[in-house]
PDB file of all heavy atoms in Angstrom:
ATOM      1  N   ALA A 398     228.533  66.381  20.703  1.00 98.00           N
ATOM      2  CA  ALA A 398     227.690  67.039  19.714  1.00 98.00           C
ATOM      3  C   ALA A 398     228.502  67.499  18.508  1.00 98.00           C
ATOM      4  O   ALA A 398     229.696  67.810  18.611  1.00 98.00           O
ATOM      5  CB  ALA A 398     226.995  68.241  20.341  1.00 98.00           C
ATOM      6  N   THR A 399     227.835  67.547  17.373  1.00 98.00           N
ATOM      7  CA  THR A 399     228.433  68.070  16.156  1.00 98.00           C
ATOM      8  C   THR A 399     227.366  68.788  15.353  1.00 98.00           C
ATOM      9  O   THR A 399     226.169  68.720  15.671  1.00 98.00           O
ATOM     10  CB  THR A 399     229.076  66.932  15.323  1.00 98.00           C
ATOM     11  OG1 THR A 399     229.815  67.489  14.237  1.00 98.00           O
ATOM     12  CG2 THR A 399     228.014  65.979  14.789  1.00 98.00           C
ATOM     13  N   GLY A 400     227.783  69.498  14.315  1.00 97.00           N
ATOM     14  CA  GLY A 400     226.828  70.243  13.515  1.00 97.00           C
ATOM     15  C   GLY A 400     227.372  70.558  12.140  1.00 97.00           C
ATOM     16  O   GLY A 400     228.582  70.436  11.884  1.00 97.00           O
ATOM     17  N   SER A 401     226.476  70.954  11.242  1.00 97.00           N
ATOM     18  CA  SER A 401     226.836  71.295   9.875  1.00 97.00           C
ATOM     19  C   SER A 401     226.232  72.638   9.509  1.00 97.00           C
ATOM     20  O   SER A 401     225.049  72.884   9.762  1.00 97.00           O
ATOM     21  CB  SER A 401     226.335  70.219   8.909  1.00 97.00           C
ATOM     22  OG  SER A 401     226.463  70.655   7.568  1.00 97.00           O
ATOM     23  N   ASP A 402     227.064  73.501   8.884  1.00 94.00           N
ATOM     24  CA  ASP A 402     226.558  74.782   8.396  1.00 94.00           C
ATOM     25  C   ASP A 402     226.601  74.823   6.870  1.00 94.00           C
ATOM     26  O   ASP A 402     226.811  75.870   6.258  1.00 94.00           O
ATOM     27  CB  ASP A 402     227.360  75.945   8.986  1.00 94.00           C
ATOM     28  CG  ASP A 402     228.830  75.903   8.575  1.00 94.00           C
ATOM     29  OD1 ASP A 402     229.214  74.993   7.831  1.00 94.00           O
ATOM     30  OD2 ASP A 402     229.593  76.798   8.998  1.00 94.00           O
ATOM     31  N   ALA A 403     226.379  73.660   6.247  1.00 94.00           N
ATOM     32  CA  ALA A 403     226.483  73.547   4.792  1.00 94.00           C
ATOM     33  C   ALA A 403     225.278  74.130   4.060  1.00 94.00           C
ATOM     34  O   ALA A 403     225.259  74.160   2.821  1.00 94.00           O
ATOM     35  CB  ALA A 403     226.665  72.081   4.389  1.00 94.00           C
ATOM     36  N   GLY A 404     224.277  74.583   4.806  1.00 92.00           N
ATOM     37  CA  GLY A 404     223.080  75.150   4.191  1.00 92.00           C
ATOM     38  C   GLY A 404     223.268  76.609   3.819  1.00 92.00           C
ATOM     39  O   GLY A 404     224.379  77.048   3.496  1.00 92.00           O
ATOM     40  N   PRO A 405     222.202  77.414   3.879  1.00 94.00           N
ATOM     41  CA  PRO A 405     222.284  78.823   3.496  1.00 94.00           C
ATOM     42  C   PRO A 405     223.360  79.573   4.279  1.00 94.00           C
ATOM     43  O   PRO A 405     223.599  79.291   5.454  1.00 94.00           O
ATOM     44  CB  PRO A 405     220.885  79.354   3.833  1.00 94.00           C
ATOM     45  CG  PRO A 405     220.005  78.153   3.752  1.00 94.00           C
ATOM     46  CD  PRO A 405     220.836  77.014   4.251  1.00 94.00           C
ATOM     47  N   PRO A 406     224.015  80.541   3.672  1.00 96.00           N
ATOM     48  CA  PRO A 406     225.112  81.261   4.330  1.00 96.00           C
ATOM     49  C   PRO A 406     224.700  82.048   5.560  1.00 96.00           C
ATOM     50  O   PRO A 406     225.552  82.416   6.364  1.00 96.00           O
ATOM     51  CB  PRO A 406     225.643  82.185   3.223  1.00 96.00           C
ATOM     52  CG  PRO A 406     224.557  82.269   2.203  1.00 96.00           C
ATOM     53  CD  PRO A 406     223.844  80.964   2.271  1.00 96.00           C
ATOM     54  N   MET A 407     223.395  82.307   5.739  1.00 96.00           N
ATOM     55  CA  MET A 407     222.978  83.088   6.913  1.00 96.00           C
ATOM     56  C   MET A 407     223.320  82.372   8.217  1.00 96.00           C
ATOM     57  O   MET A 407     223.531  83.009   9.247  1.00 96.00           O
ATOM     58  CB  MET A 407     221.485  83.397   6.853  1.00 96.00           C
ATOM     59  CG  MET A 407     220.566  82.201   6.969  1.00 96.00           C
ATOM     60  SD  MET A 407     218.818  82.736   6.867  1.00 96.00           S
ATOM     61  CE  MET A 407     217.958  81.185   7.140  1.00 96.00           C
ATOM     62  N   PHE A 408     223.391  81.047   8.194  1.00 95.00           N
ATOM     63  CA  PHE A 408     223.750  80.314   9.403  1.00 95.00           C
ATOM     64  C   PHE A 408     225.221  80.534   9.750  1.00 95.00           C
ATOM     65  O   PHE A 408     225.568  80.771  10.901  1.00 95.00           O
ATOM     66  CB  PHE A 408     223.448  78.821   9.241  1.00 95.00           C
ATOM     67  CG  PHE A 408     221.981  78.521   9.160  1.00 95.00           C
ATOM     68  CD1 PHE A 408     221.362  78.344   7.938  1.00 95.00           C
ATOM     69  CD2 PHE A 408     221.220  78.438  10.311  1.00 95.00           C
ATOM     70  CE1 PHE A 408     220.003  78.081   7.859  1.00 95.00           C
ATOM     71  CE2 PHE A 408     219.859  78.167  10.248  1.00 95.00           C
ATOM     72  CZ  PHE A 408     219.246  77.999   9.026  1.00 95.00           C
ATOM     73  N   ARG A 409     226.086  80.469   8.747  1.00 95.00           N
ATOM     74  CA  ARG A 409     227.505  80.721   8.988  1.00 95.00           C
ATOM     75  C   ARG A 409     227.721  82.152   9.452  1.00 95.00           C
ATOM     76  O   ARG A 409     228.539  82.422  10.338  1.00 95.00           O
ATOM     77  CB  ARG A 409     228.316  80.431   7.723  1.00 95.00           C
ATOM     78  CG  ARG A 409     228.322  78.951   7.349  1.00 95.00           C
ATOM     79  CD  ARG A 409     229.240  78.671   6.178  1.00 95.00           C
ATOM     80  NE  ARG A 409     228.724  79.231   4.921  1.00 95.00           N
ATOM     81  CZ  ARG A 409     227.768  78.665   4.189  1.00 95.00           C
ATOM     82  NH1 ARG A 409     227.221  77.515   4.587  1.00 95.00           N
ATOM     83  NH2 ARG A 409     227.367  79.211   3.070  1.00 95.00           N
ATOM     84  N   ALA A 410     226.980  83.094   8.864  1.00 95.00           N
ATOM     85  CA  ALA A 410     227.116  84.500   9.242  1.00 95.00           C
ATOM     86  C   ALA A 410     226.737  84.726  10.697  1.00 95.00           C
ATOM     87  O   ALA A 410     227.285  85.607  11.370  1.00 95.00           O
ATOM     88  CB  ALA A 410     226.255  85.372   8.328  1.00 95.00           C
ATOM     89  N   ALA A 411     225.793  83.912  11.195  1.00 94.00           N
ATOM     90  CA  ALA A 411     225.335  84.053  12.583  1.00 94.00           C
ATOM     91  C   ALA A 411     226.160  83.203  13.543  1.00 94.00           C
ATOM     92  O   ALA A 411     225.895  83.199  14.750  1.00 94.00           O
ATOM     93  CB  ALA A 411     223.864  83.668  12.683  1.00 94.00           C
ATOM     94  N   GLY A 412     227.145  82.459  13.028  1.00 94.00           N
ATOM     95  CA  GLY A 412     227.933  81.576  13.873  1.00 94.00           C
ATOM     96  C   GLY A 412     227.155  80.374  14.353  1.00 94.00           C
ATOM     97  O   GLY A 412     227.458  79.791  15.400  1.00 94.00           O
ATOM     98  N   ASP A 413     226.153  79.970  13.583  1.00 95.00           N
ATOM     99  CA  ASP A 413     225.279  78.863  13.960  1.00 95.00           C
ATOM    100  C   ASP A 413     225.413  77.749  12.925  1.00 95.00           C
ATOM    101  O   ASP A 413     226.120  77.885  11.924  1.00 95.00           O
ATOM    102  CB  ASP A 413     223.833  79.357  14.053  1.00 95.00           C
ATOM    103  CG  ASP A 413     222.912  78.436  14.838  1.00 95.00           C
ATOM    104  OD1 ASP A 413     223.393  77.433  15.392  1.00 95.00           O
ATOM    105  OD2 ASP A 413     221.700  78.725  14.903  1.00 95.00           O
ATOM    106  N   VAL A 414     224.731  76.646  13.168  1.00 97.00           N
ATOM    107  CA  VAL A 414     224.648  75.547  12.207  1.00 97.00           C
ATOM    108  C   VAL A 414     223.189  75.330  11.846  1.00 97.00           C
ATOM    109  O   VAL A 414     222.289  75.689  12.611  1.00 97.00           O
ATOM    110  CB  VAL A 414     225.255  74.250  12.779  1.00 97.00           C
ATOM    111  CG1 VAL A 414     226.742  74.427  13.029  1.00 97.00           C
ATOM    112  CG2 VAL A 414     224.549  73.823  14.062  1.00 97.00           C
ATOM    113  N   ASP A 415     222.949  74.767  10.679  1.00 97.00           N
ATOM    114  CA  ASP A 415     221.556  74.514  10.273  1.00 97.00           C
ATOM    115  C   ASP A 415     221.106  73.102  10.596  1.00 97.00           C
ATOM    116  O   ASP A 415     219.920  72.800  10.586  1.00 97.00           O
ATOM    117  CB  ASP A 415     221.374  74.784   8.772  1.00 97.00           C
ATOM    118  CG  ASP A 415     222.261  73.913   7.899  1.00 97.00           C
ATOM    119  OD1 ASP A 415     221.925  72.734   7.684  1.00 97.00           O
ATOM    120  OD2 ASP A 415     223.306  74.406   7.438  1.00 97.00           O
ATOM    121  N   THR A 416     222.066  72.212  10.892  1.00 98.00           N
ATOM    122  CA  THR A 416     221.768  70.832  11.235  1.00 98.00           C
ATOM    123  C   THR A 416     222.700  70.401  12.356  1.00 98.00           C
ATOM    124  O   THR A 416     223.892  70.723  12.330  1.00 98.00           O
ATOM    125  CB  THR A 416     221.965  69.912  10.019  1.00 98.00           C
ATOM    126  OG1 THR A 416     221.129  70.372   8.948  1.00 98.00           O
ATOM    127  CG2 THR A 416     221.599  68.475  10.348  1.00 98.00           C
ATOM    128  N   ALA A 417     222.165  69.703  13.358  1.00 98.00           N
ATOM    129  CA  ALA A 417     222.971  69.313  14.511  1.00 98.00           C
ATOM    130  C   ALA A 417     222.590  67.921  14.977  1.00 98.00           C
ATOM    131  O   ALA A 417     221.467  67.456  14.751  1.00 98.00           O
ATOM    132  CB  ALA A 417     222.775  70.310  15.659  1.00 98.00           C
ATOM    133  N   ALA A 418     223.535  67.266  15.636  1.00 98.00           N
ATOM    134  CA  ALA A 418     223.297  65.954  16.203  1.00 98.00           C
ATOM    135  C   ALA A 418     224.098  65.822  17.487  1.00 98.00           C
ATOM    136  O   ALA A 418     225.212  66.348  17.597  1.00 98.00           O
ATOM    137  CB  ALA A 418     223.704  64.848  15.226  1.00 98.00           C
ATOM    138  N   ALA A 419     223.509  65.156  18.466  1.00 98.00           N
ATOM    139  CA  ALA A 419     224.196  64.936  19.740  1.00 98.00           C
ATOM    140  C   ALA A 419     223.953  63.512  20.196  1.00 98.00           C
ATOM    141  O   ALA A 419     222.838  62.982  20.055  1.00 98.00           O
ATOM    142  CB  ALA A 419     223.691  65.915  20.800  1.00 98.00           C
ATOM    143  N   VAL A 420     225.002  62.886  20.714  1.00 98.00           N
ATOM    144  CA  VAL A 420     224.888  61.603  21.392  1.00 98.00           C
ATOM    145  C   VAL A 420     224.936  61.889  22.884  1.00 98.00           C
ATOM    146  O   VAL A 420     225.866  62.545  23.372  1.00 98.00           O
ATOM    147  CB  VAL A 420     226.033  60.649  21.001  1.00 98.00           C
ATOM    148  CG1 VAL A 420     225.917  59.340  21.770  1.00 98.00           C
ATOM    149  CG2 VAL A 420     226.018  60.388  19.505  1.00 98.00           C
TER     150      VAL A 420
END
Side-chain angles (χ1 to χ4, degrees):
T399 188
S401 169
D402 62 1
M407 66 180 184
F408 292 98
R409 293 186 291 281
D413 198 4
V414 296
D415 60 79
T416 303
V420 178

